[in-house]
Amino acid sequence: MTARMTSPTALLPDAMKGIQNIFKGIHQGGAPGPVLELVHLRVSQINGCSACVYGGIKSALKNGETDERLHQVAAWRESDLFTDAERSALVLAEEATRIADRGEAVSDATWAAAAEHYNETQLAAIILMIGLTNLFNRLNTVTKAPAGATW
């Protein structure tokens, strides 16, 4: 696939500075790094963003995630490789990404499950990772960013 244009974040450097500050905040939020990696990958899979799936897998591997677990993210419900805490973050990521699929963006049950495992600061980091991943998925799919590049 050939990109339609240069990434909007490359063309508008001040926008990228703001995004980098959000990433910095996410990583200061205390959510476990592997959870943030899994959330990013699952959201990117849902949105069909090949660039973010590719980059997310590379990033997760670099940060200690295993091939076996990464191969199971798309079918995490049927896998015994994920903890209850990770599962709660994955369902939160799915519901927050598919907000048009239900009357309530994130169910109370999903929220309660995530809140059992993460404090408010960690939840803030996870929610920001979900939102930022959705932003990049949309930028990349609209501009047809090819898989293969990493950040």
Side-chain angles (χ1 to χ4, degrees):
M1 176 177 2
T2 302
R4 288 180 168 152
M5 63 179 281
T6 303
S7 171
T9 58
L11 294 170
L12 303 170
D14 284 343
M16 190 58 190
K17 288 177 192 173
I19 291 167
Q20 288 171 333
N21 283 331
I22 295 170
F23 270 124
K24 183 178 176 183
I26 288 169
H27 291 289
Q28 293 172 345
V35 169
L36 296 174
E37 298 284 0
L38 294 173
V39 162
H40 170 78
L41 180 56
R42 185 64 190 127
V43 169
S44 297
Q45 289 172 336
I46 291 167
N47 289 325
C49 181
S50 62
C52 285
V53 168
Y54 179 88
I57 288 171
K58 291 291 189 185
S59 177
L61 288 169
K62 187 169 65 174
N63 288 293
E65 193 54 81
T66 66
D67 284 322
E68 185 178 19
R69 282 172 40 98
L70 293 173
H71 288 296
Q72 293 295 312
V73 172
W76 64 267
R77 285 181 177 82
E78 291 79 31
S79 174
D80 62 358
L81 299 178
F82 302 99
T83 66
D84 288 343
E86 291 167 335
R87 290 172 180 282
S88 72
L90 287 166
V91 73
L92 178 63
E94 288 184 357
E95 288 187 17
T97 297
R98 294 178 167 145
I99 58 176
D101 291 352
R102 61 185 51 78
E104 185 177 32
V106 172
S107 72
D108 289 338
T110 295
W111 185 261
E116 284 181 27
H117 298 285
Y118 305 103
N119 64 36
E120 281 193 346
T121 305
Q122 292 169 322
L123 282 169
I126 292 167
I127 293 165
L128 282 169
M129 179 59 89
I130 294 165
L132 202 52
T133 300
N134 273 290
L135 169 66
F136 272 104
N137 292 167
R138 279 144 181 83
L139 294 175
N140 290 334
T141 57
V142 167
T143 62
K144 293 189 174 184
T150 57
W151 43 86

